[in-house]
Coordinates of all heavy atoms in Angstrom, one line a residue:
G950 N 80.5 -55.2 -21.6 CA 80.9 -53.8 -21.8 C 80.1 -53.2 -22.8 O 79.7 -52.0 -22.8
A951 N 79.7 -54.0 -23.9 CA 78.9 -53.4 -25.0 C 77.5 -53.1 -24.5 O 76.9 -52.1 -25.0 CB 78.9 -54.4 -26.1
V952 N 76.9 -53.9 -23.6 CA 75.6 -53.6 -23.2 C 75.7 -52.4 -22.3 O 74.8 -51.5 -22.4 CB 75.1 -54.9 -22.3 CG1 73.8 -54.5 -21.6 CG2 74.9 -56.1 -23.3
S953 N 76.7 -52.3 -21.4 CA 76.7 -51.1 -20.5 C 77.0 -49.8 -21.2 O 76.4 -48.8 -20.9 CB 77.9 -51.3 -19.5 OG 77.6 -52.4 -18.6
S954 N 77.8 -49.8 -22.3 CA 78.0 -48.6 -23.1 C 76.9 -48.2 -23.9 O 76.8 -47.1 -24.3 CB 79.3 -48.9 -24.0 OG 79.0 -49.8 -24.9
A955 N 75.9 -49.1 -24.1 CA 74.7 -48.8 -24.8 C 73.7 -48.0 -24.0 O 72.8 -47.5 -24.5 CB 74.1 -50.0 -25.5
L956 N 73.9 -48.0 -22.7 CA 73.0 -47.3 -21.9 C 73.1 -45.8 -22.0 O 74.2 -45.3 -22.2 CB 73.2 -47.7 -20.3 CG 72.9 -49.2 -20.0 CD1 73.3 -49.3 -18.5 CD2 71.4 -49.4 -20.1
P957 N 72.1 -45.0 -21.9 CA 72.2 -43.5 -21.8 C 73.0 -43.2 -20.6 O 73.0 -43.9 -19.6 CB 70.7 -43.1 -21.7 CG 69.8 -44.3 -22.1 CD 70.7 -45.5 -21.9
P958 N 73.7 -42.1 -20.6 CA 74.5 -41.7 -19.5 C 73.9 -41.6 -18.2 O 74.4 -42.1 -17.2 CB 75.0 -40.3 -19.9 CG 74.8 -40.1 -21.4 CD 73.7 -41.0 -21.7
A959 N 72.6 -41.1 -18.1 CA 72.0 -41.1 -16.8 C 71.7 -42.5 -16.2 O 71.9 -42.7 -15.0 CB 70.7 -40.3 -16.8
R960 N 71.3 -43.3 -17.0 CA 71.0 -44.8 -16.7 C 72.3 -45.5 -16.3 O 72.3 -46.3 -15.4 CB 70.3 -45.5 -17.6 CG 68.8 -45.1 -17.8 CD 68.0 -45.8 -18.6 NE 67.9 -47.2 -18.1 CZ 67.5 -48.3 -18.9 NH1 67.3 -48.1 -20.2 NH2 67.5 -49.5 -18.4
L961 N 73.3 -45.1 -17.0 CA 74.6 -45.7 -16.7 C 75.1 -45.3 -15.4 O 75.6 -46.1 -14.6 CB 75.6 -45.3 -17.8 CG 77.1 -45.8 -17.7 CD1 77.1 -47.4 -17.7 CD2 78.0 -45.3 -18.8
R962 N 75.0 -44.0 -15.1 CA 75.4 -43.6 -13.8 C 74.6 -44.2 -12.7 O 75.2 -44.6 -11.6 CB 75.3 -42.1 -13.7 CG 76.3 -41.2 -14.3 CD 76.2 -39.8 -13.9 NE 75.0 -39.1 -14.3 CZ 74.8 -38.5 -15.4 NH1 75.6 -38.4 -16.3 NH2 73.6 -37.9 -15.6
C963 N 73.4 -44.4 -12.8 CA 72.5 -45.1 -11.8 C 73.0 -46.6 -11.7 O 73.1 -47.1 -10.6 CB 71.0 -45.1 -12.2 SG 70.4 -43.4 -12.1
H964 N 73.3 -47.2 -12.9 CA 73.7 -48.6 -12.9 C 75.0 -48.7 -12.1 O 75.2 -49.6 -11.3 CB 73.8 -49.0 -14.3 CG 74.3 -50.4 -14.5 ND1 73.6 -51.5 -14.1 CD2 75.5 -50.9 -15.0 CE1 74.2 -52.6 -14.3 NE2 75.4 -52.3 -14.8
L965 N 76.0 -47.8 -12.4 CA 77.3 -47.8 -11.7 C 77.1 -47.6 -10.3 O 77.8 -48.2 -9.4 CB 78.3 -46.8 -12.4 CG 78.7 -47.2 -13.8 CD1 79.6 -46.1 -14.3 CD2 79.4 -48.5 -13.8
A966 N 76.3 -46.6 -9.9 CA 76.1 -46.3 -8.5 C 75.5 -47.4 -7.7 O 75.9 -47.7 -6.6 CB 75.1 -45.1 -8.4
A967 N 74.6 -48.2 -8.3 CA 74.0 -49.3 -7.7 C 75.1 -50.4 -7.5 O 75.2 -51.1 -6.5 CB 72.8 -49.9 -8.5
A968 N 76.0 -50.6 -8.5 CA 77.0 -51.6 -8.5 C 78.0 -51.3 -7.3 O 78.4 -52.1 -6.6 CB 77.7 -51.7 -9.7
V969 N 78.4 -50.0 -7.2 CA 79.4 -49.6 -6.2 C 78.7 -49.6 -4.8 O 79.4 -49.9 -3.9 CB 79.9 -48.1 -6.5 CG1 80.7 -47.6 -5.4 CG2 80.7 -48.2 -7.8
G970 N 77.4 -49.2 -4.7 CA 76.8 -49.2 -3.5 C 76.6 -50.6 -2.8 O 76.3 -50.7 -1.7
S971 N 76.7 -51.6 -3.6 CA 76.5 -52.9 -3.1 C 77.7 -53.5 -2.3 O 77.6 -54.5 -1.8 CB 76.1 -54.0 -4.2 OG 77.2 -54.0 -5.1
R972 N 78.9 -52.7 -2.5 CA 80.1 -53.1 -1.8 C 79.8 -53.1 -0.2 O 79.1 -52.2 0.3 CB 81.2 -52.2 -2.1 CG 81.8 -52.4 -3.4 CD 83.1 -51.7 -3.6 NE 83.2 -50.5 -2.8 CZ 83.7 -49.4 -3.2 NH1 84.3 -49.3 -4.3 NH2 83.8 -48.3 -2.4
A973 N 80.5 -53.9 0.5 CA 80.4 -53.9 1.9 C 81.4 -52.8 2.4 O 82.5 -52.8 2.0 CB 80.8 -55.2 2.6
G974 N 80.8 -51.8 3.2 CA 81.7 -50.8 3.7 C 81.3 -50.5 5.1 O 80.4 -51.2 5.6
P975 N 81.8 -49.4 5.7 CA 81.5 -49.0 7.1 C 80.0 -48.7 7.2 O 79.5 -48.1 6.3 CB 82.4 -47.9 7.4 CG 82.8 -47.4 6.1 CD 82.8 -48.5 5.1
A976 N 79.3 -49.1 8.3 CA 78.0 -48.7 8.5 C 77.9 -47.2 8.7 O 78.8 -46.7 9.4 CB 77.4 -49.5 9.7
M977 N 77.0 -46.5 8.2 CA 76.9 -45.1 8.4 C 75.5 -44.7 9.2 O 74.5 -44.5 8.4 CB 76.9 -44.3 7.0 CG 78.2 -44.4 6.5 SD 78.6 -43.1 5.3 CE 77.3 -42.9 4.3
P978 N 75.5 -44.7 10.4 CA 74.4 -44.3 11.2 C 74.1 -42.8 11.0 O 75.0 -42.1 11.2 CB 74.6 -44.8 12.6 CG 76.0 -44.8 12.7 CD 76.6 -45.1 11.4
H979 N 72.9 -42.5 10.7 CA 72.5 -41.0 10.6 C 72.0 -40.7 11.9 O 70.9 -41.2 12.4 CB 71.5 -40.8 9.5 CG 72.0 -40.9 8.2 ND1 72.4 -42.2 7.6 CD2 72.3 -40.0 7.3 CE1 72.8 -42.0 6.4 NE2 72.8 -40.7 6.1
F980 N 72.7 -39.8 12.7 CA 72.2 -39.3 14.0 C 71.2 -38.2 13.8 O 71.4 -37.2 13.0 CB 73.4 -38.7 14.8 CG 74.3 -39.9 15.3 CD1 75.3 -40.4 14.5 CD2 74.1 -40.4 16.6 CE1 76.1 -41.5 15.0 CE2 74.9 -41.5 17.1 CZ 75.8 -41.9 16.3
Q981 N 70.2 -38.3 14.6 CA 69.1 -37.2 14.6 C 69.4 -36.2 15.7 O 69.1 -35.1 15.6 CB 67.7 -37.9 14.8 CG 67.4 -38.9 13.7 CD 67.3 -38.2 12.4 OE1 66.8 -37.1 12.2 NE2 67.6 -38.9 11.3
A982 N 70.0 -36.7 16.8 CA 70.3 -35.8 18.0 C 71.8 -35.4 17.9 O 72.6 -36.2 17.8 CB 70.0 -36.4 19.3
W983 N 71.9 -34.0 18.0 CA 73.3 -33.5 17.9 C 74.2 -34.0 19.1 O 75.3 -34.3 18.9 CB 73.2 -32.0 17.9 CG 74.5 -31.3 18.0 CD1 75.0 -30.6 19.0 CD2 75.6 -31.4 17.0 NE1 76.3 -30.2 18.7 CE2 76.6 -30.6 17.5 CE3 75.6 -31.9 15.7 CZ2 77.8 -30.4 16.8 CZ3 76.8 -31.8 15.1 CH2 77.9 -31.0 15.5
E984 N 73.6 -34.0 20.3 CA 74.4 -34.4 21.5 C 74.9 -35.8 21.3 O 76.0 -36.2 21.7 CB 73.6 -34.3 22.8 CG 73.2 -32.9 23.1 CD 72.1 -32.2 22.2 OE1 71.3 -33.0 21.7 OE2 72.1 -31.0 22.2
E985 N 74.1 -36.7 20.8 CA 74.4 -38.1 20.6 C 75.6 -38.3 19.6 O 76.5 -39.0 19.8 CB 73.3 -39.0 20.1 CG 72.2 -39.3 21.1 CD 71.1 -40.0 20.5 OE1 71.2 -40.8 19.6 OE2 70.0 -39.9 21.0
F986 N 75.5 -37.4 18.5 CA 76.5 -37.4 17.5 C 77.9 -36.9 18.1 O 78.9 -37.6 17.8 CB 76.1 -36.6 16.3 CG 77.2 -36.5 15.3 CD1 77.5 -37.4 14.4 CD2 78.0 -35.2 15.3 CE1 78.6 -37.2 13.5 CE2 79.0 -35.1 14.4 CZ 79.3 -36.1 13.5
T987 N 77.8 -35.9 18.9 CA 79.1 -35.3 19.3 C 79.7 -36.3 20.3 O 81.0 -36.5 20.3 CB 78.9 -34.0 20.0 OG1 77.9 -34.1 21.0 CG2 78.4 -32.9 19.0
R988 N 79.0 -37.0 21.2 CA 79.5 -37.9 22.1 C 80.1 -39.1 21.4 O 81.3 -39.6 21.7 CB 78.4 -38.4 23.0 CG 78.1 -37.5 24.2 CD 77.3 -38.2 25.3 NE 76.1 -38.7 24.8 CZ 74.9 -38.0 24.9 NH1 74.9 -36.8 25.5 NH2 73.8 -38.4 24.4
A989 N 79.4 -39.6 20.4 CA 79.9 -40.8 19.6 C 81.2 -40.4 18.9 O 82.1 -41.2 18.8 CB 78.9 -41.3 18.7

């Protein structure tokens, strides 16, 4: 905790975002075609 709190706020946010982003969650396909998205 001492190491994390020594980080500047911007770097801390990036560090936390990277840690949270590594969780397994639902896959998020980005659709390029509107019709495909609406059907799905």
Side-chain angles (χ1 to χ4, degrees):
V952 173
S953 295
S954 63
L956 292 173
R960 289 186 64 198
L961 179 61
R962 283 192 301 270
C963 291
H964 178 70
L965 291 174
V969 170
S971 64
R972 286 191 327 216
M977 289 205 312
H979 289 73
F980 285 86
Q981 301 296 325
W983 175 248
E984 292 78 20
E985 289 178 26
F986 172 78
T987 57
R988 278 193 300 266

